[in-house]
């Protein structure tokens, strides 16, 4: 079939009209305009670094004050690490006895309600710690260190063993998770409060069992403060379960109570050191 020719005004003929296919316009953006995405390997590496940093921060907050206290006080000069290790061993034995008593005398609660009988039994079982602390202060053989350094070394070893036994495994398992949580920060703060309370209880124990000459008017106060410190775990358990306090509120109460009891214990210890 022949194509028709078109004549120009001057009579010249144009070339035959041919059909040119139109270009197909695509809505898919080009490779250069596509947004870049992070690779999975990079995300895993960044998340892993953040979890390690979170674990290290929580571990330093939990166990760092024990090391700082030993280095900043005369305990390091008198090399009382042996006394602290012996106290930690006594604590582990005491914790084992408490665990057996809790498993034997207490039953598993069906709900989170507070049972007065169960809480009372926990208070009596908690006094096993006082017995263990008494053994560590009076029966263990120590180097020729003063009474001041002895109760500090025993209290430091006792508190460090408690932190390792109750907080190291949760930190290692939970603080390395991908999701940040304040729970382990609060555990570190709670360990600091426990350190102060244990040192205060050890100081009062040294006054009760090692100090012979002390003012008679201070004896009831010393025993009352020691009793309050010994029952502090049961008090915090009551605040959590019965009154349903949040963790931040309970930790704040523990920190405030530890500072108050430390101040009172220091005043009592200083008063007993004065010549009568």
């Amino acid at each position: 079939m022949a194509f028709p020719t078109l004549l120009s005004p001057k009579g010249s003929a144009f070339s035959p009209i041919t059909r040119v296919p139109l270009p197909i316009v695509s809505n898919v953006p080009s490779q250069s305009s596509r947004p870049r995405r992070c690779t999975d390997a990079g995300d895993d590496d960044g998340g892993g670094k953040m979890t390690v940093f979170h674990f290290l921060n929580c571990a330093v907050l939990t166990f760092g004050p024990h090391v700082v206290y030993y280095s900043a006080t005369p305990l390091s000069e008198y090399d009382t690490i042996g006394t602290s290790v012996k106290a930690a061993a006594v604590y582990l034995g005491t914790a084992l006895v408490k665990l057996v008593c809790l498993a034997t005398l207490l039953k598993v609660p069906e709900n989170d309600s507070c049972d007065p009988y169960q809480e009372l039994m926990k208070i009596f079982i908690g006094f096993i710690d006082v017995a263990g602390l008494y053994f560590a202060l009076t029966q263990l053989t120590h180097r020729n260190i003063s009474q001041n350094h002895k109760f500090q070394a025993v209290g430091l070893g006792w508190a460090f063993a408690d932190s390792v036994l109750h907080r190291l495994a949760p930190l290692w398992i939970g603080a390395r998770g991908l999701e940040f949580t304040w729970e382990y920060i609060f555990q570190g703060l709670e360990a600091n409060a426990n350190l102060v309370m244990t040192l205060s209880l050890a100081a009062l124990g040294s006054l009760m069992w090692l100090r012979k000459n002390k003012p008679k008017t201070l004896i009831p106060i010393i025993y009352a403060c020691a009793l309050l410190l010994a029952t502090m775990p049961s008090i915090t358990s009551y605040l959590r379960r019965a009154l349903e306090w949040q963790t931040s509120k309970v930790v704040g109460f523990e920190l405030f109570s530890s500072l108050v009891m430390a101040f009172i214990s220091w005043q009592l210890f200083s008063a007993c050191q004065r010549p009568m």
Side-chain angles (χ1 to χ4, degrees), residues 5 39 50 66 73 79 89 108 151 177 181 184 193 205 224 233 244 252 258 268 275:
T5 59
T39 59
M50 290 301 295
H66 302 79
T73 57
D79 193 17
V108 179
F151 86 82
T181 175
Y184 306 102
E244 297 181 353
S258 64
L268 292 173

Side-chain angles (χ1 to χ4, degrees), residues 58-89:
C58 295
V60 169
L61 180 61
T62 303
F63 304 105
H66 302 79
V67 180
V68 172
Y69 187 88
Y70 180 81
S71 302
T73 57
L75 296 180
S76 58
E77 299 178 3
Y78 288 93
D79 193 17
T80 59
I81 189 67
T83 301
S84 298
V85 171
K86 291 178 182 178

Side-chain angles (χ1 to χ4, degrees), residues 101-117:
C101 294
L102 289 172
T104 304
L105 301 177
L106 298 182
K107 61 180 181 179
V108 179
E110 298 179 356
N111 48 33
D112 294 335
S113 61
C114 183
D115 188 359
Y117 173 76

Side-chain angles (χ1 to χ4, degrees), residues 80-220:
T80 59
I81 189 67
T83 301
S84 298
V85 171
K86 291 178 182 178
V90 173
Y91 173 81
L92 294 178
T94 304
L96 180 60
V97 174
K98 286 177 58 179
L99 182 62
V100 173
C101 294
L102 289 172
T104 304
L105 301 177
L106 298 182
K107 61 180 181 179
V108 179
E110 298 179 356
N111 48 33
D112 294 335
S113 61
C114 183
D115 188 359
Y117 173 76
Q118 299 284 334
E119 296 299 326
L120 187 62
M121 289 300 299
K122 288 181 181 180
I123 293 175
F124 283 112
I125 294 174
F127 280 101
I128 298 177
D129 286 334
V130 179
L133 198 60
Y134 169 81
F135 180 83
L137 285 172
T138 60
Q139 303 301 319
L140 291 181
T141 57
H142 307 281
R143 298 184 57 182
N144 294 326
I145 56 178
S146 64
Q147 182 181 353
N148 300 349
H149 300 146
K150 182 183 295 185
F151 86 82
Q152 292 183 68
V154 170
L156 181 62
W158 194 278
F160 183 77
D162 178 79
S163 296
V164 171
L165 185 63
H166 292 96
R167 298 176 178 88
L168 181 60
L171 279 178
W172 178 256
I173 296 173
R176 295 169 65 246
L178 296 179
E179 184 179 357
F180 174 80
T181 175
W182 286 97
E183 177 183 357
Y184 306 102
I185 302 293
F186 290 141
Q187 284 190 10
L189 296 175
E190 192 174 16
N192 297 335
N194 180 71
L195 172 62
V196 177
M197 289 185 182
T198 304
L199 289 172
S200 301
L201 182 59
L204 296 176
S206 67
L207 293 179
M208 292 187 296
W209 304 316
L210 301 179
R211 184 73 179 181
K212 302 300 181 181
N213 298 324
K214 49 182 175 288
K216 295 182 179 180
T217 56
L218 297 180
I219 294 178

